[in-house]
Amino acid sequence: MRSYLDFEKPVAELEAKVEELRALGENGNAVSISDDVSRLEVKAADALKDLYSKLTPWQKTLVARHPQRPHFVDYCAGLITEFTPLAGDRKFSEDEAILAGFGRFRGQPVCVLGQEKGHNTETRIRHNFGMARPEGYRKAVRLMEMADRFGLPVLSFVDTAGAYPGIEAEERGQAEAIARSTEAQLGLGVPNVSLVIGEGGSGGAIAIATANKVLMMEHAIYSVISPEGAASILWRDAARAQDAATNMKITAQDLLRLGIIDGIVTEPVGGAHRDPQAAIQAAGNAIEEALHDLGNMGPAEIRDHRAEKFLNIGRKL
């Protein structure tokens, strides 16, 4: 069953009427209702297109968090063949908030890592809602170093509200683990491409998003803090999250204009959750193009390209 966001209520009502009429037709209703169904379908499609053409930053935040939005496991299944997951940081334990391994992307061997939020209560708890502990980032470093050793490009998929802020994570060196992961990415001599598929939150995101090419899905968000967190700090009022979202410039469109990211992957009308396969295919095409752009560079050029990209952010802003 499709889940609707609050601002999608007009579309939800139209689509509910379509389903109601279809049910009448399936029950053998003598009156032909095909014309009514077609008319309502067109009206619903137009309403959806109009709604998503002018989403506010806060509405994009809600779309980025949509429970039916495709997650890392979906992108991995749709884009990576022969995927072999690896576990553990070889220091403390396994962290399932970050999944990582090796496989083939459209025939090319690659290292793949991504944050997984989970799609139901059981998997969300298992993956800790995509909020990694230090072990997750140390696992990412281990695999990235292995990829660098064997000359394999690194693909990362970002989807987290932020790194796990628990006491035990701090005791085991959360900040140091994030810094080491960021450092490892900056030093890679192989191309790396990062795609923000949902939420890109704070250091938890940048730890696996310090890439030669940083892409975002059309309705994803990327910021140093959540809108709710920013509102609590700035105004002592989390209810002003909408104001924070607008002022923080967290949308893909704002970040492309500011030079923070390198490209936007267009989503199906109504968001990636409406047609996950189309969204995943579009993401794959964008990643393939990004890898092609980096394909003729040597290790030194790759490092210089990455360093220049992030230095330019500070110079321009």
Side-chain angles (χ1 to χ4, degrees):
M1 182 177 292
R2 179 167 290 147
S3 175
Y4 292 93
L5 299 169
D6 287 344
F7 68 86
E8 295 179 310
K9 187 176 180 180
V11 176
E13 291 173 351
L14 288 169
E15 292 185 339
K17 290 178 182 178
V18 170
E19 293 303 318
E20 185 179 343
L21 288 175
R22 282 178 176 163
L24 288 173
E26 290 172 0
N27 290 333
N29 192 298
V31 179
S32 175
I33 57 174
S34 60
D35 290 343
D36 290 334
V37 170
S38 297
R39 179 175 55 80
L40 281 175
E41 284 180 330
V42 170
K43 190 174 181 180
D46 289 343
L48 186 68
K49 185 177 181 179
D50 181 62
L51 186 64
Y52 271 76
S53 68
K54 52 187 179 184
L55 292 181
T56 67
W58 176 246
Q59 288 170 335
K60 282 184 176 285
T61 301
L62 298 178
V63 175
R65 296 171 176 172
H66 197 287
Q68 294 173 331
R69 193 173 177 84
H71 294 158
F72 169 66
V73 292
D74 303 306
Y75 283 88
C76 189
L79 297 176
I80 308 300
T81 58
E82 301 178 35
F83 180 65
T84 302
L86 298 182
D89 65 345
R90 301 297 185 266
K91 296 181 189 298
F92 184 77
S93 71
E94 162 66 346
D95 177 27
E96 293 194 62
I98 291 182
L99 302 179
F102 294 89
R104 292 183 182 274
F105 170 70
R106 298 185 175 178
Q108 180 179 10
V110 293
C111 172
V112 187
L113 42 114
Q115 288 146 337
E116 173 58 37
K117 285 184 172 181
H119 62 276
N120 57 30
T121 301
E122 180 185 353
T123 56
R124 285 168 188 152
I125 292 173
R126 184 168 79 241
H127 296 294
N128 200 33
F129 298 85
M131 296 186 294
R133 297 176 172 86
E135 303 80 67
Y137 297 113
R138 289 173 181 142
K139 174 174 66 176
V141 170
R142 182 169 74 86
L143 267 72
M144 287 190 288
E145 290 177 345
M146 190 181 299
D148 199 23
R149 195 176 308 131
F150 290 101
L152 303 179
V154 177
L155 308 182
S156 59
F157 295 81
V158 178
D159 191 16
T160 182
Y164 183 59
I167 293 175
E168 67 272 25
E170 296 297 330
E171 289 174 340
R172 295 198 296 273
Q174 182 71 290
E176 186 268 350
I178 290 172
R180 292 292 183 188
S181 183
T182 305
E183 179 186 41
Q185 281 201 306
L186 285 171
L188 287 176
V190 295
N192 61 334
V193 178
S194 180
L195 174 66
V196 183
I197 59 176
E199 282 188 277
S202 193
I206 198 67
I208 64 167
T210 314
N212 290 99
K213 297 279 188 178
V214 180
L215 310 173
M216 285 181 70
M217 298 302 291
E218 182 182 0
H219 301 307
I221 60 170
Y222 192 18
S223 63
V224 297
I225 191 173
S226 69
E228 295 90 339
S232 295
I233 293 171
L234 294 174
W235 299 294
R236 311 279 189 207
D237 183 4
R240 294 190 64 179
Q242 295 188 40
D243 296 330
T246 300
N247 289 291
M248 288 166 61
K249 309 301 181 188
I250 63 177
T251 69
Q253 295 73 24
D254 283 332
L255 295 172
L256 181 64
R257 187 174 65 254
L258 292 171
I260 306 296
I261 64 170
D262 302 291
I264 298 174
V265 180
T266 302
E267 296 186 25
V269 176
H273 56 280
R274 285 251 168 185
D275 191 347
Q277 292 308 311
I280 291 169
Q281 179 68 24
N285 293 340
I287 292 170
E288 183 176 28
E289 182 180 347
L291 286 176
H292 181 267
D293 291 343
L294 301 166
N296 295 323
M297 295 184 185
E301 290 177 292
I302 286 290
R303 294 188 187 96
D304 289 344
H305 175 277
R306 192 183 299 116
E308 192 64 21
K309 167 186 167 55
F310 285 95
L311 287 171
N312 274 337
I313 293 174
R315 292 167 182 153
K316 291 178 181 178
L317 296 180

